[in-house]
Structure formats: structure tokens, C-alpha cells
Amino acid sequence: GQADLTLNFKKIQLETGTKYSQFSNNSDIGYFNFINGNYITDPAKSNLFDYNEKNYAAYISASKDFGEKWSVKAGLRYEYSQTSGFSLTTQSKSENNYGKFFPTAYLSYKANENNQFSINYSRRINRPYFRALDPFRWYSNPNTYYSGNPSLQPSFNHNIEFNYIFKSKFSANLYYQRTTNNFDQISFLNGIDLTSTYENYYNQNVYGINFNYTDTFFKIWESNISTSFSYNETQITRFNLIPKNGQSFYYSLNNTFQLNKAKTFMLFVNYWQNLPSRDGYIAAKNRASIDAGVKMSFAKKALQVNLSVSDIFRQSGFKADMYFTDNTQSFNNYWDARRLALSITYNFGNQKVKSNKRVVDFEEKNRAQ
């Protein structure tokens, strides 16, 4: 449930609102041993887990324009969360209640039609997603399993950003982020047994800059170029991990080519790459992907046919090394990102009729997927 109110005064605009959300998930997954022709439940691996979460939020913000060039906005949001998890199999219960304030501030300057500047600050919360909380064991082989952690806590971060936009084609974003009580997946080696779970175990400072440029060339080629560079400093707060401070560099090239004057036949070719990087206690290897496809329209654009191929050269696997004080772990994961997709869509009726839509973004809905 969500309710918002906007009040427009002569010199200032006020916005206020409340929001309530409830998220529930009940999982019942069992492991069985086939003994003497019968399936016998294995209680050491099976798990019944119920998870419930309630979030209450209220906010207020004020904005004001100072002439045609300057504008300012500030706000404050309060969130209170109640979470509970219960494992019927292990008879273990976890509860977590917390409330926090989250301020925001924004200052914008429009020098002229071509140049805009802004600076903003915000404090945010990153709640654990359900898979990171569910204690059920997912086995990949008899000696390796992954499980969530019902006691996982949220992390919090402070963000400061400076933004510049030129002619709505080029943008630059310089930022600093401080994250505390951060959580991530961590693996523990015990002999030949490898177990992975989620833990709160580090704080981090990240300094970065992003560039984005979009333009059209020769009237038929639309291109978007993005680059991102960051440097992180990690402080390990738990476990025998070795921090891997260092850089990360990413870029992407997205291109669409118009193959006929009617704009009904389009070719797209996209490429992205992550150069070797360091983050937390992990040193990751190079990753990349090239995707291509065609978009075709028929019958006055009522019929849409899209054909695409992703990760053509099978480059998007994740290879990395994880560093502990007493061992180094290496992994090579690939999630079958290489695929061929064909979609055919036909729209019936009058194509000129427009519907009145209002999109409301619910974070909890996205977390449940």
C-alpha cells in the first residue's frame, strides 16, 4: 500500500507520503535417500523454511527553484522493518527489527541549454534478498553446497555524486560511496568439503567515475558508449580474509543500424567488457560478451519479429580467485548465457489509441522475483 501527497505553494513544493509492504515466502524442499526400494527423508539436508517481512516507511521532502538556473531539493525518509524466519526442520527461529532515517539533498545548476550540473547526497539501505536468507542447502556435488543465512543484516551506504550533462548526449558522473556492514557470499573450506553462505563481513569505500555518450551518425547509425572506472578500499571486519583493494574498469558499445528508409528493418550489435578487477577479497578475471540480432516490422508495424544471439563467443563466464590467510580458492562459473531467441508479436486493433498508465516501482516486488 502506498499513498503520496504533493502540495504546490508559491515559493516551495512539498511532497509527503507513506508506504507499507509485506513479503512472505514459504519453502518446502526435501532430500530423500533411496534405500531398499523406498525413498526415505534425509532430515540433515531437508528444510522447511518460513520467512516474513514487514516494512513501514514515511517521507517528506521540499523543493524550490531559484530563478531559471538554480534548484534545490531536500528530504527525509524513515523506514522500520520487521523480519522473522523459522526453520521447522531445525526448529531455529530468527527475528530482526530495525528503524533508520535516510536523508537526501540535491542541488542543480543549469548554466544554459547545453550544460547542466548537479550534486546530491543520499543515505540508502540494501536489504538481503530471500535466497541469501533461506538456510536450505543447495548441493552441487556431495562435498559442496550453498545455503543462505537467516541472521543476515542489511547494509547501509552514504552516496555523494557530482553530475554533468551536455546537450542530453554526453553525461559524466563522479561519485564516492561508503558502505558499512556489507554482506556477500563467502566460502569455507574444511578438508575436501566446501560450504558457501552469506555473511556481513566488510566495510568499503568506492571512488568512481562514469561516462555516457549517445549520438546518431549518418542518420542510420545510433550508438551508445558507456565507460565506468572505480577504485575500492575494503576493510575486512570478520573471518580470515585478505582484502583486495584495487580498480575496476567496464565499457559497453551498443549500436543500432537502420537498414531501410521505412525504419522497419534494424540490425543491432552490442559489446561489453569487464577488465580484470579487484573487489572485497576477490580478484576477478576478464569478462566480455558480444550480442547481435535483427528487429523487423511488418503490416504497418503491427507485426514485430525479433531474432537475437547473445554471448556469441562464450566470454561472459566468471573466473576469479578468493584470498584467505590460509588458502586461496579459484572458481570458473558459466551460466549458459549463450542463447538464440526468437520473438513474434502482433498487435490487434487501432494502433493510435493511447492508454493512460502510471508506473509505481515496488522494490519488494522485484526482490520476490
Side-chain angles (χ1 to χ4, degrees), residues 145-160:
Y145 71 82
Y146 153 87
S147 67
N149 178 7
S151 301
L152 203 61
Q153 302 289 311
S155 65
F156 301 91
N157 57 53
H158 298 270
N159 302 273
I160 299 176

Side-chain angles (χ1 to χ4, degrees), residues 354-366:
K354 295 182 179 180
S355 60
N356 189 10
K357 297 181 180 180
R358 183 189 180 203
V359 178
V360 179
D361 180 24
F362 287 100
E363 295 179 5
E364 288 71 24
K365 179 181 178 181
N366 296 330

Side-chain angles (χ1 to χ4, degrees), residues 26-287:
N26 303 318
S27 63
D28 180 1
I29 306 178
Y31 277 96
F32 300 86
N33 295 319
F34 189 66
I35 302 175
N36 297 326
N38 297 313
Y39 289 98
I40 308 300
T41 301
D42 187 341
K45 299 178 180 178
S46 300
N47 191 275
L48 300 173
F49 184 67
D50 295 340
Y51 178 77
N52 293 280
E53 178 179 304
K54 296 179 180 179
N55 296 303
Y56 309 84
Y59 75 92
I60 185 170
S61 68
S63 60
K64 179 178 174 57
D65 294 330
F66 296 91
E68 297 181 355
K69 295 183 179 294
W70 292 92
S71 64
V72 63
K73 185 174 183 178
L76 184 65
R77 187 176 83 258
Y78 179 78
E79 291 190 14
Y80 184 78
S81 299
Q82 297 175 311
T83 67
S84 64
F86 177 67
S87 174
L88 184 63
T89 305
T90 61
Q91 290 295 304
S92 61
K93 186 175 183 179
S94 61
E95 293 185 353
N96 190 20
N97 302 327
Y98 52 90
K100 299 289 183 179
F101 284 98
F102 300 93
T104 58
Y106 175 87
L107 177 65
S108 174
Y109 173 68
K110 185 176 181 180
N112 49 51
E113 290 297 325
N114 297 330
N115 298 277
Q116 299 182 49
F117 303 86
S118 66
I119 185 171
N120 60 281
Y121 163 80
S122 64
R123 183 175 187 245
R124 301 168 184 166
I125 183 173
N126 180 27
R127 295 190 185 90
Y129 40 91
F130 176 73
R131 187 184 177 193
L133 297 166
D134 186 358
F136 172 72
R137 295 182 180 182
W138 298 90
Y139 281 85
S140 56
N141 61 60
N143 302 103
T144 304
Y145 71 82
Y146 153 87
S147 67
N149 178 7
S151 301
L152 203 61
Q153 302 289 311
S155 65
F156 301 91
N157 57 53
H158 298 270
N159 302 273
I160 299 176
E161 297 182 357
F162 176 77
N163 301 285
Y164 168 68
I165 300 176
F166 176 71
K167 287 187 175 182
S168 299
K169 290 185 177 182
F170 173 79
S171 65
N173 168 248
L174 181 67
Y175 68 91
Y176 164 74
Q177 183 180 89
R178 168 67 176 174
T179 307
T180 58
N181 202 38
N182 219 337
F183 60 87
D184 207 342
Q185 191 170 354
I186 182 172
S187 300
F188 300 96
L189 188 64
N190 182 16
I192 62 172
D193 295 326
L194 182 66
T195 61
S196 299
T197 187
Y198 281 83
E199 296 284 355
N200 301 89
Y201 64 87
Y202 70 100
N203 302 325
Q204 193 172 60
N205 296 317
V206 179
Y207 311 84
I209 188 167
N210 303 316
F211 296 103
N212 185 276
Y213 180 72
T214 300
D215 208 342
T216 301
F217 305 98
F218 312 112
K219 297 182 180 181
I220 62 170
W221 173 21
E222 182 178 326
S223 181
N224 175 265
I225 303 171
S226 295
T227 62
S228 175
F229 176 82
S230 65
Y231 181 85
N232 80 81
E233 298 174 343
T234 301
Q235 302 90 44
I236 302 296
T237 57
R238 300 175 61 196
F239 307 117
N240 59 335
L241 309 175
I242 301 176
K244 288 296 174 182
N245 300 336
Q247 75 289 335
S248 174
F249 181 77
Y250 165 88
Y251 69 91
S252 66
L253 307 170
N254 297 324
N255 302 280
T256 301
F257 300 91
Q258 175 188 324
L259 301 182
N260 63 347
K261 292 183 178 181
K263 298 182 179 181
T264 58
F265 193 13
M266 315 287 283
L267 169 69
F268 70 88
V269 181
N270 303 327
Y271 180 77
W272 63 263
Q273 183 179 23
N274 264 327
L275 296 183
S277 61
R278 294 187 171 196
D279 186 18
Y281 69 113
I282 295 176
K285 306 294 184 6
N286 181 78
R287 300 178 65 201

